[in-house]
Amino acid sequence: MKASAIRLVRIIPRKALDPAAVKVVDAPAPQTQDLRQPTVLQLLQQQREAAGAEWPKNIRIEPVVKKGEYRPVQAEVRTQLKKMLRER
């Protein structure tokens, strides 16, 4: 037997509800603290600067290049440029 919307809906009579007893909870305060925390990329860059020459060679941090920065580049050259910007 398939479950239908009619079977899933349960009708509650109005007499069973008491509007005076219902509490409206205020919305939680916005959590702006999370926005101010440094990102993982920023933390890694700080660690790299602190380590200096002792930073492991196998951990590379690539710069963030946004899509809009590739717009002035010709379409044929764009893919080659993206590959060149990535570290190998």
Side-chain angles (χ1 to χ4, degrees):
M1 180 176 190
K2 288 185 178 180
S4 63
I6 296 170
R7 281 194 158 287
L8 296 175
V9 173
R10 183 175 163 191
I11 299 174
I12 301 172
R14 285 183 186 248
K15 294 176 186 175
L17 300 176
D18 184 18
V22 175
K23 280 189 176 178
V24 177
V25 180
D26 294 334
Q31 296 179 353
T32 55
Q33 298 169 1
D34 294 341
L35 298 175
R36 295 184 187 132
Q37 290 181 349
T39 62
V40 174
L41 181 63
Q42 292 170 345
L43 292 173
L44 282 173
Q45 287 175 343
Q46 289 173 2
Q47 289 178 6
R48 182 177 65 181
E49 290 170 2
E54 296 176 7
W55 182 258
K57 299 292 180 191
N58 63 345
I59 299 177
R60 295 181 214 99
I61 301 173
E62 295 182 3
V64 178
V65 181
K66 296 187 179 183
K67 195 173 184 178
E69 295 176 19
Y70 290 116
R71 282 200 183 120
V73 180
Q74 295 176 0
E76 302 85 30
V77 184
R78 201 174 292 156
T79 55
Q80 294 175 356
L81 180 63
K82 287 179 183 178
K83 288 179 184 176
M84 287 172 37
L85 286 175
R86 290 190 190 128
E87 289 188 37
R88 295 180 192 167

